[in-house]
Amino acid sequence: MGNVFVLDHPLIQHKLTYIRSKETGTKEFRELVDEVAMLMAFEITRNLPLQDKTIHTPVVEAQAKVLSGKKIGLIPILRAGLGMVDGVLKLIPAAKVGHVGLYRDPETFQPVEYYIKLPSDINERELIVIDPMLATGGSANDAIHSLKKRGAENIRLMCLIAAPEGVEMIKEEHPDVDIYLGALDEKLDEKGYIVPGLGDAGDRLFGTK
Ligand code: PRP
Ligand code: URA
């Protein structure tokens, strides 16, 4: 079964509070999402493998560490996932970025895929699927199925806020996928919004509505 990690670093929790607040306007919301994405990336990459490398410091020859293992691919789910990409790229600047476009039908809550463009070597990469919200789980579930259908084998999911329903769906459908969250909230409301949540992530990021 995939693991679920709630990243309880105080800086992440502090910034998440202001992201949630309806008093926070678009500019500040964007900046905070970017900062939290960077902090989450720091935690998520904690277990990346290292290998030895011989270097020459100005003083001596020394054994030092460099990252080894698979290269990283970031897969934001459009639109709202875009708001977290730059924050992650600050720590992993060489990552390739693929895009999956999905929107959730407001009546049925079913995800509708409208765009996909991926790096050609996703099967050789450690992929991080990025979306601020994991609500019913339909969108992330679809995105992960799409990636697996195209050969992806190593996938992690990173979300700011999740509902228990979404976490359960991903654990059932994708037991190989570890989930990293800023917070695990209480429930979904009748419109499929996370409670307490932050509202509509795409609208708050891009100033629509
Ligand atoms: C939001 C969010 C997720 C999805 C989560 O996107 O960014 O992708 O809803 O809901 P789910 O877990 O129930 O599928 P939305 O459909 O609002 O599209 P947008 O990002 O284009 O605004
Ligand atoms: N999508 C959002 O943007 N917010 C929610 O609370 C649920 C789905």
Side-chain angles (χ1 to χ4, degrees):
M1 207 32 108
N3 295 304
V4 181
F5 301 98
V6 179
L7 305 175
D8 58 0
H9 191 290
L11 287 176
I12 295 176
Q13 295 307 311
H14 175 84
K15 289 173 193 289
L16 210 42
T17 299
Y18 292 94
I19 287 174
R20 288 179 186 279
S21 169
K22 69 176 187 182
E23 310 300 328
T24 301
T26 302
K27 174 178 178 288
E28 204 187 343
F29 185 89
R30 250 183 226 145
E31 289 167 357
L32 286 163
V33 168
D34 179 71
E35 288 167 16
V36 170
M38 184 183 75
L39 294 167
M40 288 182 75
F42 186 73
E43 295 274 6
I44 290 170
T45 51
R46 186 178 283 282
N47 61 357
L48 288 182
L50 292 169
Q51 67 186 32
D52 289 329
K53 180 179 167 70
T54 305
I55 56 160
H56 296 87
T57 76
V59 184
V60 287
E61 179 179 298
Q63 293 300 312
K65 303 284 183 195
V66 288
L67 290 170
S68 65
K70 291 184 190 306
K71 293 200 160 58
I72 307 277
L74 309 182
I75 314 289
I77 300 179
L78 308 182
R79 291 178 294 169
L82 287 177
M84 298 172 72
V85 172
D86 285 351
V88 179
L89 283 174
K90 280 180 194 142
L91 292 192
I92 320 172
K96 288 192 176 175
V97 182
H99 297 85
V100 179
L102 288 170
Y103 70 87
R104 201 173 71 152
D105 183 294
E107 305 295 324
T108 63
F109 305 152
Q110 290 305 305
V112 182
E113 187 175 301
Y114 58 87
Y115 184 77
I116 185 152
K117 183 80 180 173
L118 302 170
S120 56
D121 57 355
I122 53 163
N123 56 326
E124 293 163 18
R125 287 185 179 261
E126 184 85 49
L127 299 182
I128 306 177
V129 174
I130 301 176
D131 195 326
M133 309 307 277
L134 181 65
T136 64
S139 303
N141 178 35
D142 244 47
I144 294 169
H145 275 304
S146 261
L147 294 172
K148 287 183 174 174
K149 204 167 66 187
R150 290 168 174 81
E153 288 175 1
N154 296 285
I155 303 175
R156 304 168 193 215
L157 173 63
M158 160 182 186
C159 305
L160 289 186
I161 300 179
E165 292 88 334
V167 170
E168 280 316 304
M169 179 183 279
I170 301 301
K171 279 170 73 176
E172 275 197 14
E173 293 273 327
H174 305 287
D176 55 315
V177 172
D178 285 344
I179 305 172
Y180 296 84
L181 305 173
L184 179 57
D185 276 10
E186 198 186 316
K187 60 178 184 182
L188 293 177
D189 71 8
E190 66 288 351
K191 289 186 181 151
Y193 279 98
I194 299 176
V195 180
L198 54 71
D200 188 303
D203 283 347
R204 293 199 62 193
L205 263 172
F206 297 109
T208 44
K209 208 166 203 169

